[in-house]
Amino acid sequence: MTGTGASRYTQETTIPSRPTGPRHICVAGASGLAGAHITRAALALGWRVTGTLRDATDSSKTIHLMALPGAKERLRLVSANTADPESFAPALDGADALVIACLPSIRKAPDGTAAGDLDRETGLEHCVIPAQSACHNLIEAAHLSGISDIVLLSSTASAEPENAPRIKNELRHHSDFELQIQQRKFIAAQKTAMEVAAARLAQDRALRLIILLSGMIVGPGVLPCHDQGHILGRLREMAVGAHPWHHQTPKGSMSLIHPSDLAALCLAALQKPGSEGRYFAVARSWQWTEIYSEIAKFVPVGALPTAVPKGTDPVPPTQFDFTRRDSLAVPRHGLAAMIASFFHWLDRHDHPDFGKVTAGAHPTGATNR
């Protein structure tokens, strides 16, 4: 399995005209970091949103979503689980687009073994196949509900060919699934597998599929629980617990994007006639030395990794062809703004003003199933 199995999504195609006014979208995973930002941005545009959560009666999440501007009038929250595709039917009813933001990386087997330590069979069974199946089932459920516009949040991990090009292009460069499995890169293989499954199904069902290849998402949360996520949780532990993320500064680089910029790209893609296929959804790539120089402004010295040994040749940051991305929207936040906005939000979150979140924000009108 490789990205070449989805050739329709490696080139421009002609797309029928789509709604250009206010839309009604279903955000699968509305309580996640990306999903919540997309929900907020869509409401700000005057769109209707149906958001799914595993448990729409969980007030620790719903109260904050229903407190978003416009939520009382235009946000509906529904319980749904990717293990049960039929549970999405109520959420998809009436929507004209589906945004899949509910497939986070599966990083461990049920027994707690890290993905990188699993053998081939176990890694496929517990890490890759569940993500692939969930993606397929969600898109099939959308098709059965009459929805033909799909946005899938994926990762640049699916755009890492064996021989790295000087400049990456999302239409030409794909990861080799079998090589990822051989190298036990099961987390990355999840993204490749679900993209190929999504593209094949979209081609068979004549659906419009937009795939956003995101990097590390860094910025403020929308829900308090967002500081417990994989990336933001590590940053929080550095600031609050002085727990290092890395013991030594990595020699390589990392691609980042602010969550509101990711949301802007998602909604711009849905609004723009003709948009389809893969788009890089990163601001750019920075060396870890640059990233840590910004983090160092907000965390104790003891939480910082040791420096890269002197004489070590720096690995140049990944270069991207951003032509397609910029045809949708140009990210507004650079590295310093991303890092600062997270830590400023974390500071406010540690001393929250609950006066703005009242009992009236509870989703009494939401659909809880």
Side-chain angles (χ1 to χ4, degrees):
M1 181 189 300
T2 67
T4 57
S7 60
R8 178 174 181 237
Y9 295 93
T10 64
Q11 57 188 327
E12 296 284 357
T13 56
T14 302
I15 306 299
S17 59
R18 304 289 177 174
T20 56
R23 304 194 62 168
H24 180 179
I25 65 173
C26 173
V27 178
S31 62
L33 177 62
H37 275 270
I38 292 168
T39 297
R40 180 165 66 182
L43 292 172
L45 287 177
W47 295 10
R48 300 190 67 82
V49 180
T50 300
T52 74
L53 303 80
R54 289 191 184 92
D55 181 5
T57 66
D58 182 354
S59 61
S60 69
K61 297 180 178 179
T62 59
I63 192 171
H64 298 281
L65 290 170
M66 295 306 298
L68 294 172
K72 183 177 179 181
E73 299 79 18
R74 290 179 278 106
L75 175 61
R76 183 168 62 105
L77 300 176
V78 180
S79 296
N81 193 313
T82 55
D84 177 16
E86 293 183 0
S87 67
F88 281 87
L92 296 166
D93 184 32
D96 57 57
L98 168 65
V99 177
I100 302 176
C102 60
L103 302 176
S105 298
I106 304 170
R107 300 180 176 276
K108 295 181 180 180
D111 65 1
T113 303
D117 295 328
L118 301 174
D119 59 37
R120 178 188 178 93
E121 291 72 22
T122 308
L124 285 169
E125 178 184 359
H126 293 298
C127 295
V128 178
I129 293 175
Q132 180 186 35
S133 298
C135 183
H136 180 282
N137 292 340
L138 269 173
I139 294 176
E140 182 69 5
H143 170 65
L144 294 175
S145 295
I147 294 174
S148 58
D149 282 6
I150 312 290
V151 178
L152 171 63
L153 301 191
S154 187
S155 165
T156 55
S158 69
E160 296 180 352
E162 182 177 3
N163 298 315
R166 187 176 67 85
I167 300 177
K168 285 188 179 181
N169 178 284
E170 62 268 74
L171 298 185
R172 296 197 302 268
H173 298 131
H174 300 260
S175 298
D176 185 303
F177 176 79
E178 285 300 330
L179 182 60
Q180 289 176 318
I181 296 300
Q182 291 173 18
Q183 297 175 341
R184 297 186 178 183
K185 295 181 178 179
F186 296 114
I187 298 173
Q190 294 169 27
K191 309 304 181 183
T192 302
M194 72 181 193
E195 275 189 41
V196 173
R200 287 175 175 167
L201 183 58
Q203 187 168 10
D204 290 343
R205 304 290 189 267
L207 307 176
R208 176 198 188 197
L209 175 64
I210 297 160
I211 301 174
L212 299 182
L213 306 180
S214 173
M216 191 166 77
I217 304 173
V218 177
V222 176
L223 281 63
C225 63
H226 288 159
D227 70 2
Q228 303 300 314
H230 176 64
I231 300 301
L232 300 190
R234 288 185 178 274
L235 294 176
R236 182 185 189 279
E237 284 302 303
M238 291 183 70
V240 177
H243 295 150
W245 182 352
H246 301 96
H247 293 293
Q248 184 175 81
T249 303
K251 294 186 295 183
S253 63
M254 179 60 68
S255 303
L256 283 74
I257 190 166
H258 191 281
S260 67
D261 288 336
L262 178 58
L265 285 166
C266 174
L267 301 187
L270 285 172
Q271 289 176 294
K272 181 183 178 182
S275 60
E276 185 186 31
R278 304 169 101 211
Y279 295 83
F280 285 130
V282 300
R284 53 161 282 201
S285 182
W286 285 269
Q287 291 178 327
W288 274 102
T289 53
E290 298 176 277
I291 295 171
Y292 269 116
S293 70
E294 294 298 330
I295 294 175
K297 299 174 183 178
F298 302 95
V299 304
V301 173
L304 296 172
T306 59
V308 175
K310 290 183 178 181
T312 302
D313 292 331
V315 178
T318 304
Q319 300 296 311
F320 298 93
D321 178 352
F322 283 133
T323 303
R324 283 173 57 79
R325 182 203 71 180
D326 292 351
S327 72
L328 301 178
V330 178
R332 297 170 44 244
H333 299 83
L335 176 61
M338 282 186 258
I339 300 296
S341 65
F342 166 72
F343 284 108
H344 291 158
W345 170 78
L346 182 65
D347 187 57
R348 295 192 302 272
H349 166 49
D350 281 347
H351 303 87
D353 177 8
F354 288 110
K356 296 181 180 179
V357 182
T358 66
H362 193 277
T364 54
T367 300
N368 299 319
R369 297 178 186 273

